[in-house]
Amino acid sequence: MCVVCMLFTLLSIFSFPVITKAEDGLGVSYSAFFSQNGWGIWYMDNSNVVSEGNYISALRLGLYNQPQELNGTIRYQVNVSGLGWLDEVENGAETGKADFIQEPLESVRVKLSGNLEEAYDIYTKVLQNNETWTNWVKNGEDAGTAGVGTHITGIRITIRAKGSEAPNENDEKTDEKKKEQKNLAKRSIDPNKPMIALTFDDGPSEHTGIILDVLEKYNARATFFVIGNNLKEKNIPVVQRAISLGNEIGNHTVSHPDLTQKSTSVVSSQIDGVEKALREITGTKPNLLRPPYGSYNRQVLNQLSKKGYACILWSVDTLDWKTKSADSTTKTVLEKAKDGDIVLMHDSQKSSALAMERIVKGLQDKGYQLVTVSELAKQRGQLNAGKAYSSFRR
Ligand code: ZN
């Protein structure tokens, strides 16, 4: 049991985090299900999502940085080859066929509702048959062509202030963004090579950015289990950056209690508070939860099952909170972590941030791929809501 974790429990007042509008304004995030690879990572506003030799068969879309004074949400509808238009869904829900059966999307419609519709335009374009991008369409118009045998193999969506000019064909929002997309595009996981999932608990903190810098430099990924009470305004950019670099964000509860000691309703609100905050910040819904102290029981798993979360533990414990030593943390990871392991660290610990370069380089030199927990699970079997996992060894 971790002292830092205990402190959180003692210090935190049970409340939902306050989210305020970030500078960049309203954005859309999206994730696509590819016919051969399954669900891809979440991308942020105006990113090209393309998969070679694969088509898209399902989508999920969310909003981030929604101004508090504006109600409404994102609504979307997909046309599936052979099935036609499915019912419209909204705000993070999956639609399409996420089942590896040959049912590509042919067209999509994306729009905003409520006050958002009056304040913003939402633009969508799709890549058809890996050849041609359509022109931008906006506010619920058809992106793609249904019924003529074309398949959607890529998608790009962006939100602009109402009445402003349509986005240029190639205007990724910043050079920084372009660089990130290039890195993401280059990366692929080799299922035959060993892989490890590094995980960081109790953030985000002022040290999280250092960890992201190292991950970016080495084209590696990790999973961050965040505490709701830490999702304060100053930490919003680092969470958004983590996602845009292809890392995974998991739920570590609002105020870090031992969930086995709490009532069902408290367990529920501890999970929901983080989920609500992450939706507001990133437009994404986490599907991993790490219970504080690794403590769970049947009641907790039942809640996770209902809410669509897998319970993620660990197989290598660095005890970084105890040693506060970058040397010790590095040594533990490099000596103990093996193929399929989930490694527990804390991005609340400066020593772990300082150990990162040696850890990432050391593991990569030994031939390990550094992947998110969901990526590891996808390579090694199943990730089921309401089930607990401490590793994905072969
Ligand atoms: Zn913790």
Side-chain angles (χ1 to χ4, degrees):
M1 194 171 293
C2 143
V3 171
V4 181
C5 304
M6 283 182 210
L7 272 177
F8 271 117
T9 313
L10 293 172
L11 293 177
S12 57
I13 300 159
F14 184 66
S15 63
F16 290 142
V18 179
I19 304 305
T20 46
K21 188 176 154 187
E23 282 169 27
D24 282 347
L26 181 68
V28 54
S29 50
Y30 38 106
S31 156
F33 188 98
F34 290 98
S35 52
Q36 289 164 31
N37 303 335
W39 283 109
I41 60 168
W42 285 89
Y43 287 80
M44 309 292 272
D45 198 288
N46 206 22
S47 304
N48 274 334
V49 176
V50 178
S51 187
E52 309 273 328
N54 234 321
Y55 50 77
I56 294 174
S57 65
L59 283 174
R60 46 190 181 185
L61 277 51
L63 299 175
Y64 57 90
N65 295 342
Q66 179 164 354
Q68 281 176 347
E69 67 275 16
L70 298 182
N71 69 29
T73 185
I74 185 166
R75 301 182 64 83
Y76 43 103
Q77 195 178 6
V78 297
N79 188 297
V80 179
S81 187
L83 297 176
W85 289 102
L86 304 190
D87 288 343
E88 192 174 79
V89 299
E90 63 179 32
N91 197 23
E94 289 180 21
T95 184
K97 302 297 273 182
D99 55 10
F100 299 102
I101 294 168
Q102 307 288 306
E103 288 164 327
L105 301 189
E106 296 189 353
S107 187
V108 300
R109 295 168 176 158
V110 183
K111 65 185 184 186
L112 300 168
S113 66
N115 298 146
L116 292 178
E117 191 181 2
E118 292 152 30
Y120 298 94
D121 291 318
I122 186 162
Y123 288 86
T124 307
K125 67 192 317 192
V126 294
L127 180 64
Q128 295 176 312
N129 297 358
N130 281 323
E131 284 171 8
T132 326
W133 283 96
T134 63
N135 292 325
W136 289 108
V137 297
K138 66 176 179 178
N139 303 335
E141 294 168 345
D142 290 8
T145 324
V148 296
T150 55
H151 300 159
I152 292 180
T153 54
I155 189 164
R156 182 164 163 186
I157 314 173
T158 186
I159 293 176
R160 303 290 153 128
K162 194 88 191 170
S164 59
E165 280 185 29
N168 285 327
E169 291 309 300
N170 298 310
D171 72 332
E172 296 270 355
K173 268 185 177 167
T174 60
D175 287 346
E176 204 52 41
K177 189 100 191 172
K178 257 187 207 163
K179 205 176 73 191
E180 287 167 12
Q181 290 309 132
K182 227 172 79 191
N183 275 340
L184 290 177
K186 268 194 303 193
R187 187 175 176 283
S188 63
I189 300 169
D190 184 340
N192 300 314
K193 288 187 181 158
M195 58 190 90
I196 287 171
L198 300 178
T199 66
F200 296 90
D201 288 11
D202 296 0
S205 82
E206 70 266 32
H207 313 305
T208 310
I210 299 169
I211 295 168
L212 294 180
D213 289 345
V214 176
L215 291 168
E216 183 177 12
K217 180 174 169 187
Y218 291 93
N219 205 10
R221 288 180 193 164
T223 304
F224 295 84
F225 290 96
V226 300
I227 289 180
N229 283 342
N230 290 345
L231 294 172
K232 301 182 190 103
E233 189 174 12
K234 69 174 163 60
N235 287 331
I236 291 176
V238 81
V239 176
Q240 294 177 333
R241 181 171 169 234
I243 298 233
S244 70
L245 288 170
N247 297 292
E248 183 163 26
I249 306 293
N251 191 328
H252 198 40
T253 74
V254 172
S255 66
H256 208 279
D258 180 342
L259 294 177
T260 63
Q261 304 300 312
K262 299 291 175 188
S263 68
T264 306
S265 68
V266 171
V267 170
S268 178
S269 60
Q270 281 283 337
I271 299 168
D272 292 350
V274 175
E275 186 170 316
K276 180 169 178 285
L278 284 175
R279 273 184 190 274
E280 289 172 15
I281 294 171
T282 67
T284 69
K285 182 218 174 277
N287 61 355
L288 309 178
L289 179 130
R290 174 164 283 156
Y293 319 106
S295 175
Y296 67 99
N297 57 17
R298 178 41 51 195
Q299 178 217 331
V300 170
L301 292 180
N302 284 344
Q303 286 281 314
L304 294 179
S305 174
K306 273 186 213 150
K307 295 174 189 295
Y309 284 87
C311 181
I312 303 299
L313 306 164
W314 56 86
S315 49
V316 174
D317 188 348
T318 60
L319 299 175
D320 57 344
W321 57 273
K322 194 174 176 185
T323 68
K324 295 190 184 302
S325 157
D327 287 348
S328 166
T329 301
T330 305
K331 190 165 177 279
T332 304
V333 178
L334 295 183
E335 283 179 4
K336 290 192 177 165
K338 298 281 181 280
D339 185 32
D341 274 333
I342 300 175
V343 178
L344 171 63
M345 291 188 271
H346 294 80
D347 54 327
S348 51
Q349 296 296 323
K350 188 179 181 185
S351 58
S352 291
L354 297 178
M356 265 303 273
E357 184 131 18
R358 278 182 287 160
I359 289 172
V360 170
K361 194 166 180 315
L363 290 176
Q364 287 186 341
D365 286 349
K366 288 180 166 193
Y368 290 108
Q369 304 172 93
L370 298 179
V371 298
T372 68
V373 170
S374 286
E375 287 172 334
L376 179 60
K378 196 190 286 177
Q379 297 295 334
R380 293 293 160 79
Q382 294 267 311
L383 192 62
N384 292 313
K387 291 267 185 328
Y389 303 89
S390 55
S391 73
F392 293 90
R393 293 176 183 144
R394 280 187 208 272

